[in-house]
Amino acid sequence: MCAKPKVAVVYASPETVLDDVTRAMHLAEYQTHLSRDLPTLLKINISWQHYYPACSTTPWQLEGVVKTLRADGYERLVPTHNGTVVVDAKEGAVNNKHTAVEEKHGLDSVHLESVRWVRYEPRATMRVLDRVYPRGIAIPEMLIGKNIVHLPTMKTHVFTTMTGAMKNAFGGLLNYQRHWTHSVIHETLVDLLTIQKEIHPGLFAVTDGTFAGDGPGPRAMRWHAKNVILAGADQVAI
């Protein structure tokens, strides 16, 4: 029988939030899931190029993860962004202070729309992606063979109801035609979880719930101060 997934839930405060991120990651035993010998992608979520509470990865979430990884000997960290048909990720990285954190820690970020995409043949049977993309599934080549830490926020979404660690791969693994999958979004997320397990040796997620959003997410939400940080390796559980 498989061990039950472990999700750490830590209450946070503005004064201690960086340490709270570290505590959550250690409670979830992240080092057992991520090898120091491999580069580690930090998959940033930008749902809007403007700052709005609960909408996109927070700067304290990103910095807390970077400081924790660096302190524990993870040197090759790669902040990773993706654009969409409605969001300018480069503008969003500035407005959401991701760029400030990256520059502070000397990190060079990657925007996935600018890298090489390659055809990927999943080993597992796909539920819908092979039909949505009959000419072949394309993914960014630079993602393959690297650890990944997803950095979602706690919020609702008009298509998936809730969005978090499971959907954070949506922007990274699918190209600008990803909206083709909205009619089969739940099956798409299952396919993306499958592909992630095939291409990433290590998977982890740190979810920011210092602000949480409900209503018509991921942008036009009502935000609530909830002051929690979640961490775990199981993308479904978290």
Side-chain angles (χ1 to χ4, degrees):
M1 182 180 293
C2 296
K4 288 185 178 180
K6 178 178 289 188
V7 175
V9 182
V10 171
Y11 282 97
S13 71
E15 296 79 14
T16 63
V17 68
L18 298 182
D19 292 333
D20 298 328
V21 170
T22 298
R23 182 168 172 244
M25 292 176 69
H26 285 161
L27 284 171
E29 300 173 354
Y30 86 93
Q31 293 176 78
T32 65
H33 302 283
L34 304 176
S35 170
R36 291 187 187 86
D37 297 330
L38 297 171
T40 299
L41 306 166
L42 308 177
K43 179 58 183 67
I44 292 166
N45 172 235
I46 296 183
S47 292
W48 204 7
Q49 64 260 37
H50 307 291
Y51 173 75
Y52 188 81
C55 189
S56 302
T57 297
T58 64
W60 51 88
Q61 176 188 11
L62 176 59
E63 179 157 25
V65 169
V66 170
K67 290 184 70 173
T68 304
L69 289 167
R70 280 273 176 84
D72 291 334
Y74 294 80
E75 294 297 331
R76 291 183 287 170
L77 307 181
V78 186
T80 309
H81 303 262
N82 66 271
T84 74
V85 293
V86 295
V87 174
D88 185 325
K90 293 182 178 179
E91 181 181 349
V94 173
N95 292 339
N96 285 280
K97 307 300 182 185
H98 304 144
T99 301
V101 174
E102 293 161 3
E103 291 177 349
K104 176 181 177 180
H105 293 278
L107 299 176
D108 295 322
S109 63
V110 171
H111 286 264
L112 294 176
E113 61 268 30
S114 302
V115 304
R116 182 168 181 257
W117 289 62
V118 296
R119 182 165 179 163
Y120 183 73
E121 297 286 349
R123 295 191 296 271
T125 301
M126 294 286 95
R127 291 173 176 260
V128 292
L129 284 185
D130 54 341
R131 298 198 301 275
V132 175
Y133 298 104
R135 295 183 180 179
I137 300 168
I139 67 173
E141 186 177 35
M142 61 88 60
L143 298 185
I144 300 171
K146 297 179 178 68
N147 296 327
I148 192 164
V149 177
H150 287 292
L151 302 175
T153 58
M154 190 183 297
K155 61 181 181 285
T156 51
H157 192 280
V158 291
F159 292 115
T160 59
T161 307
M162 291 295 294
T163 181
M166 286 176 64
K167 192 175 180 296
N168 204 52
F170 185 74
L173 283 173
L174 297 179
N175 60 18
Y176 276 113
Q177 283 74 44
R178 64 180 71 99
H179 56 279
W180 293 350
T181 67
H182 281 162
S183 63
V184 286
I185 189 63
H186 301 290
E187 293 84 356
T188 295
L189 294 185
V190 173
D191 285 348
L192 293 178
L193 288 168
T194 300
I195 292 173
Q196 284 190 88
K197 284 186 171 292
E198 292 184 2
I199 68 171
H200 297 302
L203 278 160
F204 198 76
V206 177
T207 301
D208 186 280
T210 55
F211 294 105
D214 80 282
R219 288 178 284 277
M221 300 175 295
R222 297 175 292 272
W223 62 267
H224 308 269
K226 290 300 180 181
N227 298 320
V228 293
I229 300 291
L230 309 181
D234 187 301
Q235 308 297 293
V236 179
I238 192 171

